[in-house]
Amino acid sequence: MLKKRELLLSERQPSSEDETMVPVLTSRKASELPVNEVACVLQADLQLGLTQEEVSRRRAYHGWNEFDISEEEPLWRKYISQFKDPLILLLLASAVISVLMHQFDDAISITVAIIIVVTVAFVQEYRSEKSLEELGKLVPPECHCVREGNLEHLLARELVPGDTVCLSVGERVPADLRLFESTDLSVDESSLTGETTPCSKYTYHQLPSTNGDIASRSNIAFMGTLVRCGKAKGIVIGTGENSEFGEVFKMMQAEEAPKTPLQKSMDLLGKQLSLYSFGIIGVIMLVGWLQGKRIMDMFTIGVSLAVAAIPEGLPIVVTVTLALGVMRMVQKRAIVKKLPIVETLGCCNVICSDKTGTLTKNEMTVTQLFTSDGLHAEVTGVGYNGAGEVLLDGEIVHGFSCPSISKVVEVGCVCNDSVIRNHALLGRPTEGALISLAMKMGLESLQQEYVRLEEHPFTSEQKWMAVRCVHRTLQDKPGVYFMKGAYEQVIRLCSSYNSRGSTLSLNHQQRELYQQQISYMGSAGLRVLAFASGAEMGSLTFLGLVGIIDPPRSGVKEAVGTLISSGVAIKMITGDSQETAVSIASRLGLYSKGCQCLSGDEVDRLDLQQLSNIVSRIAVFYRASPRHKLKIVKSLQNIGAVVAMTGDGVNDAVALKAADIGVAMGQTGTDVCKEAADMILVDDDFQTIMSAIEEGKGIYNNIKNFVRFQLSTSIAALTLISLATLMNFPNPLNAMQILWINIIMDGPPAQSLGVEPVDSDVIRKPPRNVRDSIITRSLLIKVLVSALIIVCGTLFVFWRELQDNVITPRDTTMTFTCFVFFDMFNALSSRSQTRMVHEMGLCSNRTFCYAVLASIMGQLLVIYFPPLQNVFQTESLSFFDLLFLVTLTSSVCVVSEAIKMVERWRGVEKSPPADCFHEV
């Protein structure tokens, strides 16, 4: 099927002027053609890219580079599907039987109730779907594209055939590309072919005889695959559904997202309650029938009670609350990709954080320079620009006035993949700092004066980068290696050092001198880079060191203090030296007397159990690489910790997946990393993690509040009808009134509890035990006490009104209004499990105020509006009746507030002492 589609596309003849301008190329055809022919067919310029006018013309024909394959179900069909609920069908049957028995008032009443109940459920589900759709749009894929000669950062959806795209380590390939430049490129195609071993890519064209399936096309980078190593440039040959990934994506879309653990537990709770409710309703109907009540009346009451008592909206409201909470997190610059993480955030008790860019600003600036022959220069100015000077003994150094310094700056500028354009950095911050240094000395043009022959890209494992270059005027020469990286790695490949233009053999004394200088720079919190050059790798000439400062982010120290005091341990993982790491950690309050630090090499030497025994005492891991992160995560999980791990590189992906909460960097993070993560920090700021934990705890509390309200109302409604039936009272509520209570229970007042603002003190509370049930002993007591007060109060009103032993519309109106008012006061008290109503403020949750106001207005319409009086069988009440009911029903709120006070007094809510992390 795939081959047939390829053949059709490759042989397709242009049938219009548009198609003549923008022909279609399949990956098979493109892989067999030389690069220049592909560019000719696609009418593209490989170096300058397309013009904006040409891009617009091609997009008009090819459309956006995205998939729009899901045919949305029309709203009317979604609405009709709500009537498939077994309870709704039972009510409809009840309405039909009423019509057959000529009880038209009952039939109309039940039908109106069904429409209201179904509409509320439909609106809830629609909101849930829309909220989840919004989540999917939060992380749009991006790419680097050359247009009109400039490298631009675009959304992947903006690409068109003929665009020139630049790929680098960690990026996701944004469209099908025919590669024309490649340096050690290795691509993970497992998402397309299922082959887990990364494929090496080249640029030469393939012979038709070797061009089998898509896995054999070594000069094509396919849309959706991941760059594991190296870098490349390619021309776009297929976008959207014209890419090889199109068919795979359609299959992927068919998979449904699994439910979160909380949703599953809510489903289970709902089913258990449904089972108990059906049992009780069955007994009520049987007892009522044995007492001689009309079977039709008992059937309608039973079905209505089932609709009201069974919390079918529970999982939906949980989803809506989680999704809305996630949308609120977006405003705090945290994108949560998976709903279960919202629950896990409240349990997190260890955060393993990168230093650079998360705890620090990632605005690198060179402040010190030390040459191999002992010269020490100071560098002024900040930012990615040429503002500032290099000072040697107070004298300004410019150009090649001091060869020892110029050589260091030259290597930093040439062994560099980043660009500064209009004071904006395109590339890595460390490399940006080195280009700024070159700009301050007027040497930035050196980057263009060399032709790169070979490259060894930087990896977090080897901790160095090297390029072999030749000067444009000396292209017949073999070339020179320029190298930069961590001192320990660079010095291993050096056999000599530069001394005032001469090359001297590297001895132990010189190494000691450089080590002392590194310790001095590190203790000042500087990140140290070493530089070397030479004709052969392994016998390079050491040139010197630069010290780069990366100041701590504002607010991080306060966030660290707050989290540690609440029982969350924070561990810093960095590739820097021990001195630099400890200096920054101390400044942030992460490292104090009694804390320990551990190197990456020491982590390697310890087995998992040994590391688990000491990991709780380690505050800083220095000279660590991504492979150490996985071991650190596993050792923490071994001792029961719930771990959040930050990362930004390709090799961080495994550790992020293994952590309970994988946190990727939004700005510096690679696509691979973002793919593996559960949460993305848009601005790479550590404070955002604290905000996310705070929001996660708040969302969980809001769900508990909602569950408390719904359970107490369900239990009260069931108990009320059960007691009335068992005591041989007339039914205190009719079917329509029970359905109205259901709308309040599942509707706006209940949902508004899910958007209660987060309590500012919640972050200071200890992490929740991951095994704790949402229904705690304290919550259950509050539910049962509230239900008891509602039942006793409502039965008292019913008994008081029924003293003449004749049931009238006034009797049921008083009972019905009493129950609804009890519900409103119960909702007010359910806004928090620990804080008093006056502490929260009556209007702090405006949604709740509007919802309660709307419910009360609706109740007053039911009582005083004649058409609704007929439907609900009510009559008007006096002002004093309402005053009596408000006074009585407020008791549920007063008692709930008293329970909170008692709990506070007894210290039930007292936090455990904050240690590194509590037992999970």
Side-chain angles (χ1 to χ4, degrees), residues 328-329 341-349 562-563 565-568 690-705 758-759 761-768 911 918:
R328 280 202 305 276
M329 283 189 192
I341 294 310
V342 177
E343 307 158 40
T344 317
L345 279 166
C347 307
C348 173
N349 50 23
T562 303
L563 286 166
S565 66
S566 73
V568 179
M690 187 181 81
S691 299
I693 289 175
E694 184 177 37
E695 193 70 46
K697 286 181 177 180
I699 290 167
Y700 192 84
N701 287 347
N702 286 350
I703 291 171
K704 279 182 82 168
N705 298 339
V758 174
D759 176 6
D761 287 335
V762 78
I763 192 64
R764 292 181 177 84
K765 293 185 179 173
R768 179 173 53 84
S911 302
H918 68 281

Side-chain angles (χ1 to χ4, degrees), residues 368 487-488 511-526 528 545 577-580 583 623:
Q368 294 186 29
Y487 169 77
E488 294 90 338
R511 290 173 190 265
E512 283 293 313
L513 175 67
Y514 302 147
Q515 197 62 58
Q516 285 173 18
Q517 189 59 36
I518 288 166
S519 298
Y520 167 71
M521 286 183 177
S523 61
L526 299 183
V528 183
L545 308 163
S577 66
Q578 182 176 357
E579 293 84 4
T580 305
S583 172
R623 287 289 184 232

Side-chain angles (χ1 to χ4, degrees), residues 667-784:
Q667 293 179 350
T668 58
T670 58
D671 288 347
V672 185
C673 192
K674 291 175 188 175
E675 183 91 359
D678 305 300
M679 186 167 90
I680 298 169
L681 304 185
V682 177
D683 49 11
D684 297 6
D685 192 348
F686 181 83
Q687 274 187 289
T688 311
I689 301 178
M690 187 181 81
S691 299
I693 289 175
E694 184 177 37
E695 193 70 46
K697 286 181 177 180
I699 290 167
Y700 192 84
N701 287 347
N702 286 350
I703 291 171
K704 279 182 82 168
N705 298 339
F706 166 77
V707 168
R708 176 196 160 179
F709 171 70
Q710 193 159 54
L711 286 186
S712 53
T713 307
S714 275
I715 292 169
L718 268 177
T719 309
L720 181 68
I721 303 296
S722 304
L723 288 175
T725 306
L726 293 171
M727 293 161 69
N728 204 13
F729 279 3
N731 280 322
L733 301 170
N734 62 40
M736 282 304 299
Q737 291 166 353
I738 292 170
L739 290 171
W740 176 251
I741 288 166
N742 174 63
I743 290 163
I744 290 173
M745 189 179 85
D746 276 345
Q751 286 204 24
S752 64
L753 291 172
V755 293
E756 187 70 34
V758 174
D759 176 6
S760 57
D761 287 335
V762 78
I763 192 64
R764 292 181 177 84
K765 293 185 179 173
R768 179 173 53 84
N769 192 316
V770 76
R771 289 199 295 268
D772 278 353
S773 166
I774 194 165
I775 301 176
T776 58
R777 183 170 171 270
S778 170
L779 184 75
L780 196 58
I781 289 169
K782 287 170 187 164
V783 165
L784 295 175

Side-chain angles (χ1 to χ4, degrees), residues 493-522:
L493 300 172
C494 295
S495 59
S496 58
Y497 71 98
N498 173 62
S499 178
R500 305 184 188 281
S502 303
T503 303
L504 302 179
S505 180
L506 195 59
N507 55 42
H508 180 71
Q509 188 181 351
Q510 285 301 123
R511 290 173 190 265
E512 283 293 313
L513 175 67
Y514 302 147
Q515 197 62 58
Q516 285 173 18
Q517 189 59 36
I518 288 166
S519 298
Y520 167 71
M521 286 183 177

Side-chain angles (χ1 to χ4, degrees), residues 895-910:
V895 172
S896 292
E897 295 297 285
I899 291 172
K900 290 178 194 174
M901 284 190 73
V902 170
E903 282 184 341
R904 198 178 286 184
W905 178 67
R906 291 177 58 193
V908 171
E909 300 296 330
K910 193 183 288 180

Side-chain angles (χ1 to χ4, degrees), residues 372 487 490-491 494 496-498 514 530-532 540-545:
S372 55
Y487 169 77
V490 172
I491 203 73
C494 295
S496 58
Y497 71 98
N498 173 62
Y514 302 147
F531 299 84
L540 300 175
T541 301
F542 185 75
L543 299 175
L545 308 163

Side-chain angles (χ1 to χ4, degrees), residues 218-270:
S218 58
N219 55 15
I220 305 287
F222 296 105
M223 182 183 196
T225 56
L226 296 164
V227 180
R228 288 289 182 191
C229 178
K231 60 180 187 175
K233 286 184 182 177
I235 184 169
V236 175
I237 57 169
T239 58
E241 291 188 34
N242 284 331
S243 68
E244 298 290 355
F245 197 60
E247 294 300 318
V248 179
F249 187 84
K250 288 177 187 177
M251 290 186 284
M252 215 166 66
Q253 288 291 90
E255 288 295 314
E256 283 191 25
K259 290 190 174 183
T260 76
L262 186 59
Q263 283 173 304
K264 287 176 184 172
S265 66
M266 289 297 102
D267 279 344
L268 182 62
L269 180 64

Side-chain angles (χ1 to χ4, degrees), residues 79-118:
Y79 187 79
I80 296 296
S81 67
Q82 297 292 329
F83 288 90
K84 293 176 183 174
D85 187 284
L87 297 173
I88 298 297
L89 291 174
L90 277 173
L91 274 176
L92 281 170
S94 180
V96 170
I97 293 167
S98 297
V99 169
L100 294 175
M101 297 176 70
H102 300 284
Q103 294 172 351
F104 297 111
D105 285 354
D106 284 351
I108 292 167
S109 300
I110 293 167
T111 306
V112 169
I114 289 169
I115 290 168
I116 294 171
V117 170
V118 161

